Amino acid sequence: MNQQNIIKTENIIKISPDSSLSSALSKLSSSHDAAFIFNEDGSYVGVVNPYYTVIKSSLPGTTKVENCAFHPPRIYENDSLERIAQQMTESKIHYLPVFDDNQNFIGITSGRRILKEIQQLPIAKTTVLEVSEARNGGIVSVYDNDTINTAMNLFKEHKISKLIVIDKNMKLQGILSYYDLTPYLIASGRGKNQEKLLNIHERNHFLQMKVKGYAKKTVLTVNPDTTVADAISEMITRGMGSVIITDGESNPVGIVTTKDIFNLLKPNTIKKAFQLITKDISSQNEKVISDFSDYVSALIQKYADIKSAKLLVDEEKNGILFKISVYLTPHKGKQIVIAKEGKNIHDMIKEVKQALHSKLTE
């Protein structure tokens, strides 16, 4: 990882402690953004983030940022990519301050910069469909004619911030973000604080509005075979934090967010497809075949180029003859086949293991 590519030292959004919350938030575009607070002497104070000031706290826009500053995790110049991504995921902020070993502020790092680094890793060869299938809870959708109240309940139930919007024919109509709804829950120009939460009548009226009136129609769609690397390129170019996976008939089949891509840095995030097929295996050989199956399944998880694998074991003539075949399906290129036949199951497994390592390390 090139540290110079990770750290940004110029064009940082900086605000003073006496700035208003509304002026700070006007500089930001998503719930993951952050404006950095500095004193007159240039010392770092903290950040202002939409998630903690609007979504979680619903503070009035006239609040001084010094009174709602959030202190996010500190990133250090020699931190690993894994730790940075983890801190962004856990804090829900994709712009974090970077310090040297003497606790001096030296710049910031951003989710976009981390995505560019992930794009160069072998894991980026994974397809977006595999990433989507590995995410907790799968996809959650809402009909365009459903009410905002229905959407709010889905946000709360599934603990997510984005919903895929579909019509009655299951066709993609857009995406609804929780962050995009928050301005409608605040009324401006009232009283001393200028902003306050809607009263009960106004809130209930808003909650009965249709989703289609608030969903974003412009979304980034990709096909299921798109690699994470290509998806990242599209996300960065279009300035979007997620991609929606659609089939050939515009039906949404998955979603991949920046958080999902960050999670790829965790070990064994995606369990690659593995299938065991046996024929006429005697009871005394079941354990050895099961152990070998576990071995092959674990082995393919370590190789980014391999998409899936299948193991076939055939016992013939009551243990006099064994046939073992392993089929490795790569993301690109021809299927790799390793086939062995013999009388001693233990010797054959040893030979297949050697052949597997030889093929996978070519």
Side-chain angles (χ1 to χ4, degrees):
M1 180 178 68
N2 189 330
Q3 297 297 335
Q4 292 182 341
N5 293 336
I6 293 294
I7 303 172
K8 179 181 180 180
T9 58
E10 299 179 348
N11 300 318
I12 299 171
I13 299 176
K14 295 182 178 182
I15 54 176
S16 63
D18 60 355
S19 298
S20 69
L21 177 59
S22 59
S23 67
L25 294 180
S26 68
K27 304 176 186 293
L28 310 177
S29 58
S30 83
S31 62
H32 298 299
D33 287 356
F36 293 78
I37 308 169
F38 288 87
N39 287 319
E40 290 184 0
D41 61 3
S43 58
Y44 166 78
V45 176
V47 305
V48 168
N49 166 261
Y51 175 79
Y52 291 98
T53 58
V54 178
I55 295 176
K56 204 169 183 182
S57 302
S58 300
L59 296 172
T62 52
T63 305
K64 287 188 177 181
V65 296
E66 65 181 348
N67 296 323
C68 57
F70 177 73
H71 303 286
R74 293 193 171 199
I75 301 301
Y76 295 93
E77 53 186 336
N78 292 319
D79 271 345
S80 67
L81 200 63
E82 291 81 358
R83 180 180 184 273
I84 298 173
Q86 179 185 5
Q87 294 303 319
M88 287 183 175
T89 298
E90 292 179 356
S91 68
K92 300 183 186 298
I93 299 180
H94 292 175
Y95 293 82
L96 296 177
V98 182
F99 296 82
D100 62 20
D101 292 337
N102 296 317
Q103 301 299 319
N104 297 311
F105 178 91
I106 58 176
I108 69 171
T109 187
S110 68
R112 175 174 292 195
R113 289 170 181 261
I114 301 306
L115 287 176
K116 286 183 177 179
E117 291 296 313
I118 295 175
Q119 191 177 22
Q120 309 305 316
L121 301 177
I123 193 64
K125 296 178 182 179
T126 305
T127 67
V128 289
L129 184 61
E130 290 175 286
V131 177
S132 179
E133 290 175 342
R135 73 195 315 264
N136 292 330
I139 66 170
V140 182
S141 59
V142 63
Y143 288 108
D144 55 358
N145 278 323
D146 279 341
T147 64
I148 295 298
N149 187 56
T150 298
M152 297 293 282
N153 288 334
L154 288 171
F155 284 132
K156 183 178 181 180
E157 178 185 351
H158 296 278
K159 298 181 180 179
I160 54 177
S161 60
K162 293 179 181 179
L163 291 170
I164 295 177
V165 181
I166 56 177
D167 63 18
K168 62 180 181 180
N169 297 315
M170 307 299 290
K171 304 299 181 185
L172 177 66
Q173 296 299 308
I175 192 166
L176 185 69
S177 167
Y178 185 91
Y179 177 67
D180 291 337
L181 295 181
T182 53
Y184 299 99
L185 297 172
I186 296 176
S188 61
R190 299 180 175 190
K192 295 180 180 180
N193 290 333
Q194 298 300 309
E195 294 186 355
K196 68 178 183 179
L197 294 179
L198 297 174
N199 63 40
I200 295 177
H201 174 74
E202 291 168 326
R203 180 181 176 87
N204 287 340
H205 175 73
F206 170 68
L207 291 177
Q208 294 309 310
M209 301 299 287
K210 301 295 185 183
V211 164
K212 60 184 176 183
Y214 300 88
K216 286 184 177 178
K217 304 294 184 183
T218 303
V219 295
L220 179 55
T221 61
V222 295
N223 65 59
D225 293 329
T226 301
T227 65
V228 168
D230 288 340
I232 290 174
S233 293
E234 291 292 327
M235 291 167 68
I236 291 175
T237 300
R238 300 274 296 276
M240 294 186 176
S242 62
V243 296
I244 297 177
I245 308 165
T246 57
D247 60 18
E249 299 181 352
S250 297
N251 298 307
V253 296
I255 183 172
V256 172
T257 66
T258 299
K259 177 183 176 180
D260 295 326
I261 297 176
F262 286 169
N263 284 338
L264 288 176
L265 296 175
K266 296 180 180 179
N268 299 322
T269 298
I270 296 179
K271 192 73 173 178
K272 297 178 182 178
F274 174 77
Q275 183 180 14
L276 170 64
I277 300 175
T278 62
K279 181 181 178 182
D280 298 329
I281 302 299
S282 55
S283 58
Q284 64 264 31
N285 290 320
E286 286 180 354
K287 180 65 166 58
V288 67
I289 298 302
S290 177
D291 290 345
F292 181 51
S293 173
D294 292 342
Y295 172 85
V296 177
S297 178
L299 182 64
I300 64 170
Q301 309 303 322
K302 302 177 182 179
Y303 292 88
D305 290 337
I306 301 301
K307 181 179 180 180
S308 62
K310 181 167 60 176
L311 170 62
L312 278 67
V313 183
D314 183 7
E315 181 177 335
E316 298 182 358
K317 300 178 181 180
N318 295 321
I320 295 178
L321 182 65
F322 295 91
K323 294 180 180 179
I324 299 178
S325 299
V326 180
Y327 299 85
L328 304 176
T329 303
H331 288 284
K332 293 182 179 180
K334 296 181 179 180
Q335 187 178 61
I336 301 169
V337 181
I338 298 172
K340 299 290 181 180
E341 183 176 318
K343 296 181 179 180
N344 188 305
I345 186 65
H346 299 282
D347 290 343
M348 289 181 63
I349 288 176
K350 185 177 180 180
E351 291 178 12
V352 173
K353 285 183 177 180
Q354 292 174 343
L356 278 170
H357 280 286
S358 178
K359 288 289 185 181
L360 290 172
T361 56
E362 281 183 352

